[in-house]
Amino acid sequence: IEYILGDVNDDKKVDSVDYLLVKRSCFNTYTLSAEEQIRANVNKDAKIDSIDYVLIKRIVFGTYTAE
């Protein structure tokens, strides 16, 4: 399956909506689907947390490139 790492909502771009979804997930106000979890796990440590949130935010601001 092709996907963009950090593109949580799978709209083919990493933007503020993606880091908002991860932020809400961290605060337990949104539950990521299994597919969203795969795309949100930017640091590939098998958990979605504040590190993924920060990395997605850095992708949006152009200071980090996910591999």
Side-chain angles (χ1 to χ4, degrees):
I1 298 174
E2 289 289 319
Y3 62 90
I4 300 169
L5 200 55
D7 179 20
V8 180
N9 63 351
D10 198 29
D11 64 353
K12 309 304 179 219
K13 61 185 182 247
V14 180
D15 58 17
S16 60
V17 174
D18 300 305
Y19 69 76
L20 177 63
L21 290 173
V22 174
K23 180 179 180 181
R24 289 181 61 203
S25 172
C26 290
F27 285 109
N28 294 316
T29 60
Y30 181 78
T31 302
L32 297 170
S33 69
E35 293 82 15
E36 289 173 328
Q37 288 179 36
I38 291 168
R39 294 187 297 266
N41 190 20
V42 178
N43 66 345
K44 300 178 183 177
D45 66 352
K47 61 185 178 208
I48 310 304
D49 56 21
S50 60
I51 295 170
D52 298 299
Y53 166 75
V54 169
L55 291 176
I56 292 171
K57 196 167 184 179
R58 287 182 60 199
I59 292 169
V60 171
F61 288 116
T63 60
Y64 180 79
T65 303
E67 296 181 9

